[in-house]
Amino acid sequence: MTDSEFHRIKRLPPYVFAEVNAMKARARAAGEDIIDFGMGNPDLPTPPHIVEKLIEAVQDPKTHRYSNSRGIPGLRRAICSYYKKRFNVTLDPESEAIVTIGSKEGLANLAQAITSPGDIMLVPNPSYPIHPFGFILAGAAIRHLPIGQGYSFMESLERAVKHSVPKPLAVVLNYPSNPTAEVVDLDFYRPIVEFCLKHGIYILSDLAYSEIYFDDVPPPSILEIPEAREIAVEFTSMSKTYSMPGWRIGFATGNKKLITALARIKSYLDYGAFTPIQVAAAAALNGPQDCVAEARAIYKARRDVLIEGLAAAGWQVPSPPASMFAWAPIPAQFAHLGSLEFSKLLLQEAKVAVAPGIGFGEYGDGHVRLALVENQHRIRQACRNIRLFFQEAGIAPQGTVRRTPVPAGAKQRAAS
């Protein structure tokens, strides 16, 4: 028996990133120096005062017991305090906030809590994979809403609801976006809230990158619109804001009915995150925020080095206004390869690993995603490697393309 015989596994497509990851592993095993922009895995250390609070808490034997699946009261109060300070939104820590084991777990478990087989979910495309697949695993049907340049999200939403039977259960929003880095303001959210209220559609907002922004305009929360709390829940992660990815801690806030549903399903599945981690997370939210500004400055500096370096190599990539990703259109000379084959070629010829856009949905296939998880020295080296590769392929600096074709050997290797 293979895992493909299981019903839910059958609903999952082949893991698109697996091929690139396997190539990367083989190259490193062979001693090659691979510069890895593939996974959005923050490389900055967790701030010392957060680590110290963890150590202090873990030394108390009382914290070694089972925790609470809703989250300890102190952390839920800290979450609500954060929302008040950051968004001027007042929340009830007892009914409008819940701790999750990372935002990914929260999204997946909410899908299990609210989805019936055959329900229709509206999900942006391209999007972070848990957005559609959390609901696919729960038995839902997915209707994709294309996002990015040339698409109106509101028009796509209206069209999808008009032509969906049964009526969609919920719509997923994710701004700043992973993978596209797109940002929106409150005026973007207002008509969506009004429309979803009218049609009785829940809104699930993923705000994981709320504090990684570069243009001095903090991304808003959908909960800043008072009516949103009637239908919306918002997920946030500590992973990026406080460089705590391996700690697996996040939270959800908003609509009481959805928070209660998530709490109920979690009560059957887990005993909550390890208590010392929750204590440290509360210290992060309540403590000094200089570390957040410092991390933001580091990501911004990396962004600037990457975008300038790629431009010098002949690859014009839009400068992301937020998130820790650059969403890079595949250069015209390689567009016929698609994102997976281009990613493999970039790994083989330039020793640079990126995430193929097709892994985020078919509308992402014309792009690759580069994560800002290498230091500036490594980013410059990556750009030099790409420049040399592009020169061999006939791409000149400043984005001009010579008539020289892609080397036949490179085409053959990409196709193999």
Side-chain angles (χ1 to χ4, degrees):
M1 179 179 288
T2 65
D3 63 6
S4 63
E5 296 180 48
F6 298 121
H7 170 68
R8 283 190 171 83
I9 299 298
K10 286 181 180 179
R11 302 201 72 194
L12 296 175
Y15 188 56
V16 173
F17 304 113
E19 275 193 80
V20 176
N21 290 340
M23 282 186 64
K24 181 172 61 180
R26 288 194 298 269
R28 284 179 167 165
E32 295 182 13
D33 180 23
I34 303 299
I35 302 172
D36 193 356
F37 298 138
M39 185 179 181
N41 189 3
D43 64 310
L44 303 180
T46 305
H49 69 283
I50 302 173
V51 176
E52 290 166 7
K53 179 57 70 171
L54 172 74
I55 295 170
E56 176 188 323
V58 83
Q59 289 173 336
D60 181 354
K62 294 179 181 178
T63 66
H64 300 176
R65 306 182 72 181
Y66 291 129
S67 191
N68 186 315
S69 58
R70 291 182 63 96
I72 61 173
L75 180 51
R76 284 186 277 121
R77 288 194 295 269
I79 291 165
C80 295
S81 177
Y82 162 75
Y83 259 80
K84 182 63 179 177
K85 289 182 290 187
R86 174 68 165 79
F87 304 111
N88 196 29
V89 172
T90 301
L91 297 168
D92 177 9
E94 296 301 318
S95 62
E96 295 179 303
I98 186 171
V99 178
T100 61
I101 306 174
S103 59
K104 188 174 183 179
E105 173 267 326
L107 280 157
N109 277 332
L110 182 61
Q112 295 292 331
I114 68 175
T115 305
S116 300
D119 279 344
I120 295 176
M121 281 295 305
L122 305 178
V123 180
N125 188 331
S127 71
Y128 184 49
I130 195 62
H131 296 156
F133 289 110
F135 285 93
I136 287 172
L137 287 170
I142 302 299
R143 183 157 189 153
H144 295 279
L145 305 179
I147 63 170
Q149 189 173 6
Y151 295 102
S152 165
F153 189 90
M154 194 64 217
E155 290 178 6
S156 297
L157 175 61
E158 291 172 340
R159 187 181 309 112
V161 172
K162 180 179 180 181
H163 296 289
S164 294
V165 178
K167 178 190 70 178
L169 171 70
V171 59
V172 175
L173 302 176
N174 175 212
Y175 297 100
S177 171
N178 176 11
T180 71
E182 183 181 0
V183 295
V184 297
D185 56 21
L186 275 179
D187 288 338
F188 171 87
Y189 288 127
R190 285 192 176 94
I192 295 174
V193 170
E194 181 181 348
F195 180 83
C196 289
L197 274 170
K198 177 180 177 181
H199 292 276
I201 298 171
Y202 291 118
I203 299 173
L204 314 182
S205 172
D206 184 349
L207 197 62
Y209 296 90
S210 59
E211 303 307 327
I212 310 299
Y213 57 91
F214 308 128
D215 297 331
D216 298 322
V217 181
S221 161
I222 196 170
L223 299 180
E224 292 179 59
I225 300 171
E227 297 81 5
R229 288 160 71 173
E230 298 178 36
I231 51 168
V233 67
E234 191 157 68
F235 291 89
T236 307
S237 170
M238 306 287 286
S239 298
K240 281 71 181 181
T241 303
Y242 297 100
S243 303
M244 298 170 67
W247 299 55
R248 305 315 304 135
I249 196 77
F251 47 90
T253 55
N255 179 262
K256 294 180 180 180
K257 184 176 180 179
L258 294 176
I259 295 296
T260 299
L262 178 54
R264 183 162 175 77
I265 203 80
K266 279 174 62 65
S267 71
Y268 282 89
L269 297 174
D270 67 67
Y271 289 108
F274 186 37
T275 296
I277 292 177
Q278 296 193 57
V279 172
L285 290 168
N286 291 331
Q289 300 302 299
D290 301 17
C291 57
V292 180
E294 290 169 5
R296 188 184 302 129
I298 290 171
Y299 285 126
K300 182 177 182 179
R302 290 179 178 181
R303 176 202 68 171
D304 293 343
V305 169
L306 177 66
I307 299 304
E308 291 169 10
L310 292 178
W315 193 357
Q316 300 299 321
V317 175
S319 181
S323 84
M324 55 188 296
F325 305 112
W327 187 235
I330 299 173
Q333 193 157 335
F334 299 103
H336 64 284
L337 295 175
S339 61
L340 178 57
E341 294 303 322
F342 176 67
S343 297
K344 291 160 64 177
L345 190 62
L346 203 60
L347 179 63
Q348 187 164 323
E349 301 295 334
K351 311 306 177 189
V352 174
V354 300
I358 189 66
F360 305 98
E362 64 269 30
Y363 288 94
D365 198 26
H367 293 72
V368 294
R369 192 194 72 177
L370 295 85
L372 303 173
V373 293
E374 295 273 10
N375 62 41
Q376 292 185 39
H377 171 75
R378 297 281 284 171
I379 292 172
R380 290 190 180 95
Q381 180 62 53
C383 292
R384 286 194 293 269
N385 292 358
I386 292 170
R387 180 170 186 163
L388 288 172
F389 165 48
F390 279 9
Q391 285 175 345
E392 292 176 0
I395 298 181
Q398 304 307 318
T400 60
V401 180
R402 302 193 189 106
R403 294 179 180 272
T404 308
V406 177
K411 286 184 178 180
Q412 291 170 0
R413 287 191 293 270
S416 61

